[in-house]
Amino acid sequence: MKILLVEDDSATGRHIVKGLMSQGHTVEWLQDGRDAMAAGLDRSHDVLVVDRMIPGLSGLELVKSLRSASVRVPILFLSALSGVDDRVEGLEAGADDYLIKPFAFSELIARLDALARRPPISNVKNKLSVGDIQMDLVARTVTRSGQRVTLLPREFSLLEMLMRNEGRVITKTMFLEKVWGFNFDPQSSIIETHISRLRAKIDKPFAQSMLHTVKNVGYVLDASR
Amino acid sequence: MQAVSPLRSAATRLAMVYMALFVGASLAVNVFAYRMVMQFLDDRVNSSVMERYREIASAFEEGGTAGAVKMIESHGPAIKAQETLYSLSDPKGQMIAGNTKLSDVRPGFSILQPSDQHGSRSHYKLFSAQLGKDTLTVGISYDNVKDLATVILVNFGFATVIIISIGMIGSVVLARRNRSRLLSLTRVAHAIGDGELSKRLPVSPRMDEIDILATEVNVAFKRLDLSVSALKQVSADIAHDLRTPITRTFLALEDAANAVSADEMREGIEEAQGELRLITGTFDALLRIVQIEARSRTAKFALFDVGAIALEIFDIYELVAFDGHRHLSIDADRGPYIILGDTDLVRQLLVNLLENALRHTPTGSQIQIIITHDGTSVSLTVADNGPGIPSENFGRVFDRFYRGDPSRTTVGSGLGLSLVKAIADLHDARIELADNRPGLIATIQFLATSKRAEYFGVQPN
């Protein structure tokens, strides 16, 4: 995909550009807010990665201006501002996601993937299916190979998130934010615990395992592995 | 520091204005008094002239012109001394009796100037009227009155000079006192501005407006002092507490650089990454604490059920505790437990208390979440039956970077409970630690909704 990166720190910028390009993406890298505004108005990018503290125009102003100009491209804030309200402020300005520096590159990739391939909001589905797993979002039931699997509400939410992002890695912090509503990182391994329960119900009784651990990054649901 | 010149001083200006008003008022009073005295003296002279006149007039009524002449002559000493003038003249203007020839005097009272006579430099008050066909004029020396008036005027002049002098001295003294007071305030304020934050403005026991202002400013300085020392403490803590993980990172990277195999190198790098994650986590927690402490109180407050939050978190942690071979239970059946607060922060508060209990208890321990409420408060309690904390350390566990284990080798930043305290303080909630014999009981007591709503001026919906 074509990514617009707005980052004024050369070392960080170079690193991100190199990483994204090695993943096969095209990257346009700008260091000034005003230049980024002009580039963003082209609407030629699939996703924007914006640092909050950039010269010319602050990241917050840039995103607000782009949104008020009806630019609907997914935007991810990449910021060292990690305060209680900074995140909320960023999302309220119109960004779709907020990643705090320092970050693991795998985390950035996972989030960009989730953002860029996010289905349009109008495309609401009542049923999800990955491999032989079927999920009914209305009846809130799950079957695998036709067999009913009983899940607790939170296990259901975990699986729903994995199914919606089939084949893409979901990181622990993404789970924490989206499923638990935690905007902080608890020390305990709560994700590992709940994933292992889910795995015991959805994978263990069946021949093929679909819920895979990506070491040091997160989890992925993939029927083809 | 800028010194104000005495002339530009507000105190001097004020004193000058007051003095001008004072001198004006004293002049007005003096003029009024002078006029009153003069009027009074004039009346007295008039009545004594009239008295002399009537004496002669009654002699005339009894003995005619001869009687009047006799009466005039009987005033011998007065005639000689010329303190009193008499002049009885016939219609042709010839003096019949008296000591001074006075003609063309108009009837009634008048004043005789020295220039109108020969050989006398005195002023006289005259009264002139007809006695039959003749004209009688009586006069009394006016010089006493004139002298008295001069004395009075001189006196008034002196009085005014004295008033002005006293006023001047007073205003200079007042201005100087005010100036020196303000100067000492300015000096202290300047010292504080230069970083001597422990200094305070002087406050006198009079508690006048300057003292009240100084007291208020002192309160502000005290807060500033506290937050600056807190900041210094944090900086020192960071410098000290991050040194250890930074050293470990350094060593791990050194190992990686000197590694003989790719695996060994990867191991070193991964270890360094883990340490860096710890450092970042510490920074985040610190930043969060500072931001919560600095937060405006009601910014994101809403009414919510602590019981629901606790159940949700219990739901998440029950299995975590189970996997760690501890037993977690919850007692929150008599809800709702409505408080006014920030949901996200209260969620984190409970998570931190739980994480703390999970981390500092041995396997097999029981951990309980208990929520209770009475009319005035909602209490959120996390109790465990682990080793607990010695009660003499209760006061210190909320300090930043405090850890029961002095070697600091256990996991965690030592900031979890500081964050709990910051969140509790933001909610005006009371934290209480108690001994569970064995174990620790941590209770956070929130004010009940109605009380809190009252306190924050928010209407419960």
Side-chain angles (χ1 to χ4, degrees):
Chain A
M1 54 188 164
K2 196 175 172 203
I3 299 167
L4 174 61
L5 171 67
V6 192
E7 164 65 73
D8 65 323
D9 181 66
S10 324
T12 312
R14 260 198 317 275
H15 181 69
I16 297 174
V17 170
K18 193 177 137 204
L20 289 176
M21 283 172 69
S22 75
Q23 298 275 320
H25 301 299
T26 316
V27 187
E28 183 182 351
W29 174 23
L30 297 174
Q31 296 183 303
D32 183 275
R34 269 187 276 273
D35 299 344
M37 181 71 198
L41 287 171
D42 282 355
R43 295 177 169 79
S44 61
H45 306 90
D46 298 306
V47 63
L48 264 56
V49 178
V50 179
D51 181 20
R52 269 186 70 167
M53 289 181 284
I54 43 171
L57 192 67
S58 86
L60 220 52
E61 286 165 344
L62 170 65
V63 170
K64 276 184 191 158
S65 313
L66 285 175
R67 288 303 186 226
S68 62
S70 306
V71 175
R72 276 184 249 282
V73 58
I75 301 178
L76 180 136
F77 263 129
L78 196 56
S79 174
L81 297 175
S82 61
V84 190
D85 301 321
D86 294 327
R87 191 192 154 79
V88 176
E89 209 174 53
L91 296 181
E92 276 172 359
D96 302 273
D97 206 350
Y98 198 101
L99 185 57
I100 290 164
K101 288 180 188 172
F103 58 94
F105 197 76
S106 51
E107 181 82 36
L108 177 64
I109 294 288
R111 284 174 187 257
L112 287 181
D113 275 355
L115 274 185
R117 297 191 199 147
R118 194 178 44 175
I121 295 164
S122 57
N123 188 3
V124 179
K125 287 193 258 181
N126 293 333
K127 288 200 164 65
L128 299 172
S129 86
V130 175
D132 55 357
I133 303 177
Q134 305 280 330
M135 176 178 268
D136 186 329
L137 293 168
V138 180
R140 301 195 72 77
T141 54
V142 175
T143 59
R144 180 160 184 193
S145 307
Q147 277 177 265
R148 178 76 180 268
V149 181
T150 313
L151 296 179
L152 292 170
R154 212 156 304 271
E155 292 163 351
F156 188 91
S157 307
L158 273 178
L159 184 60
E160 179 187 341
M161 191 166 171
L162 285 163
M163 289 180 79
R164 282 188 188 278
N165 291 283
E166 180 194 354
R168 296 197 292 275
V169 180
I170 308 291
T171 65
K172 287 175 195 170
T173 47
M174 287 163 85
F175 277 126
L176 282 171
E177 284 169 21
K178 302 272 159 32
V179 180
W180 275 274
F182 282 11
N183 290 324
F184 51 94
D185 186 12
Q187 301 293 312
S188 296
S189 45
I190 61 177
I191 303 295
E192 288 85 337
T193 300
H194 287 267
I195 288 283
S196 86
R197 302 286 149 157
L198 179 62
R199 190 175 268 148
K201 290 182 181 178
I202 204 81
D203 256 357
K204 288 270 169 64
F206 304 92
Q208 189 207 3
S209 58
M210 290 168 67
L211 180 47
H212 306 283
T213 303
V214 183
K215 202 186 167 217
N216 289 333
V217 183
Y219 302 92
V220 62
L221 189 70
D222 199 333
S224 58
R225 280 200 208 184
Chain B
M1 190 167 74
Q2 198 187 356
V4 181
S5 87
L7 284 178
R8 273 178 53 207
S9 146
T12 312
R13 252 182 307 152
L14 196 67
M16 287 299 173
V17 168
Y18 270 103
M19 206 183 70
L21 283 175
F22 199 52
V23 167
S26 114
L27 276 179
V29 167
N30 282 354
V31 167
F32 182 69
Y34 176 74
R35 288 201 164 182
M36 291 278 283
V37 169
M38 290 313 285
Q39 183 70 48
F40 173 73
L41 290 175
D42 200 40
D43 284 352
R44 270 191 53 173
V45 173
N46 283 357
S47 62
S48 62
V49 172
M50 279 303 287
E51 207 180 303
R52 297 278 187 282
Y53 174 81
R54 277 206 202 93
E55 222 172 23
I56 296 161
S58 53
F60 173 79
E61 271 159 33
E62 279 169 27
T65 305
V69 169
K70 197 177 166 210
M71 180 56 86
I72 291 169
E73 275 161 2
S74 76
H75 288 293
I79 289 170
K80 277 186 186 139
Q82 290 210 337
E83 277 186 2
T84 311
L85 303 182
Y86 295 100
S87 171
L88 183 64
S89 358
D90 63 15
K92 285 178 203 145
Q94 290 298 312
M95 190 166 78
I96 303 166
N99 53 6
T100 308
K101 185 177 175 330
L102 294 165
S103 53
D104 298 332
V105 177
R106 60 186 170 84
F109 291 107
S110 59
I111 288 185
L112 181 67
Q113 303 289 337
S115 55
D116 295 340
Q117 352 162 23
H118 315 280
S120 168
R121 284 197 304 277
S122 293
H123 290 80
Y124 291 92
K125 185 88 177 195
L126 302 181
F127 183 78
S128 182
Q130 293 294 123
L131 282 185
K133 281 178 276 169
D134 305 325
T135 305
L136 175 64
T137 301
V138 181
I140 286 188
S141 166
Y142 205 53
D143 285 348
N144 283 341
V145 175
K146 280 276 174 203
D147 291 347
L148 205 56
T150 311
V151 168
I152 291 172
L153 273 181
V154 168
N155 258 330
F156 285 170
F158 271 122
T160 306
V161 167
I162 289 170
I163 286 170
I164 291 177
S165 318
I166 291 177
M168 281 282 238
I169 293 168
S171 66
V172 166
V173 168
L174 269 181
R176 184 169 286 179
R177 231 184 59 187
N178 240 329
R179 238 170 79 79
S180 74
R181 217 171 142 200
L182 288 175
L183 266 179
S184 77
L185 290 180
T186 313
R187 220 171 289 136
V188 174
H190 194 75
I192 293 170
D194 276 348
E196 292 180 60
L197 287 177
S198 56
K199 291 216 165 186
R200 294 291 173 268
L201 300 180
V203 178
S204 74
R206 282 191 302 274
M207 282 315 278
D208 58 17
E209 57 272 42
I210 292 182
D211 291 319
I212 290 171
L213 181 66
T215 311
E216 284 302 314
V217 172
N218 278 344
V219 170
F221 280 143
K222 191 179 170 193
R223 278 201 209 112
L224 185 68
D225 192 11
L226 280 179
S227 49
V228 169
S229 3
L231 202 64
K232 279 186 189 154
Q233 183 60 43
V234 171
S235 317
D237 287 346
I238 292 176
H240 182 253
D241 249 79
L242 289 183
R243 196 165 281 274
T244 312
I246 288 173
T247 308
R248 289 198 207 123
T249 314
F250 199 75
L251 292 175
L253 286 175
E254 209 167 54
D255 278 355
N258 298 331
V260 286
S261 72
D263 276 353
E264 203 180 316
M265 184 189 287
R266 189 170 299 115
E267 201 178 299
I269 290 174
E270 276 173 9
E271 199 187 322
Q273 281 177 325
E275 293 295 344
L276 282 174
R277 261 193 289 278
L278 256 174
I279 294 169
T280 313
T282 303
F283 265 120
D284 280 348
L286 262 181
L287 206 62
R288 240 178 138 75
I289 291 171
V290 172
Q291 287 191 333
I292 289 167
E293 281 173 352
R295 211 166 185 195
S296 71
R297 308 226 124 213
T298 51
K300 296 231 163 92
F301 276 18
L303 291 168
F304 66 92
D305 182 0
V306 189
I309 299 270
L311 275 172
E312 188 187 296
I313 288 170
F314 168 75
D315 187 35
I316 295 167
Y317 275 91
E318 189 188 12
L319 292 174
V320 176
F322 180 82
D323 284 358
H325 306 288
R326 289 162 183 85
H327 182 256
L328 180 65
S329 61
I330 186 165
D331 178 1
D333 302 332
R334 287 165 297 278
Y337 308 90
I338 307 293
I339 65 161
L340 184 65
D342 184 314
T343 327
D344 272 353
L345 292 182
V346 171
R347 189 181 283 134
Q348 180 158 24
L349 179 149
L350 180 54
V351 165
N352 281 18
L353 284 176
L354 274 182
E355 294 265 348
N356 200 60
L358 287 170
R359 205 172 309 132
H360 298 294
T361 52
T363 52
S365 297
Q366 305 275 334
I367 299 163
Q368 272 182 294
I369 305 172
I370 306 156
I371 305 193
T372 57
H373 62 102
D374 57 33
T376 56
S377 65
V378 171
S379 295
L380 171 63
T381 300
V382 174
D384 66 58
N385 61 353
I389 299 173
S391 58
E392 63 264 25
N393 287 350
F394 281 175
R396 288 172 52 215
V397 297
F398 297 109
D399 289 354
R400 284 169 200 171
F401 298 110
Y402 171 81
R403 274 186 254 173
D405 168 18
S407 69
R408 313 203 154 188
T409 46
T410 48
V411 204
S413 57
L415 290 171
L417 290 181
S418 307
L419 191 54
V420 166
K421 181 166 179 353
I423 295 173
D425 285 349
L426 179 73
H427 287 79
D428 271 341
R430 239 184 43 203
I431 304 186
E432 212 169 83
L433 296 181
D435 193 347
N436 204 14
R437 293 165 207 279
L440 181 68
I441 306 178
T443 302
I444 315 293
Q445 193 179 21
F446 296 92
L447 274 172
T449 323
S450 54
K451 287 265 171 198
R452 275 192 75 71
E454 209 176 283
Y455 181 82
F456 284 110
V458 175
Q459 289 297 314
N461 43 14

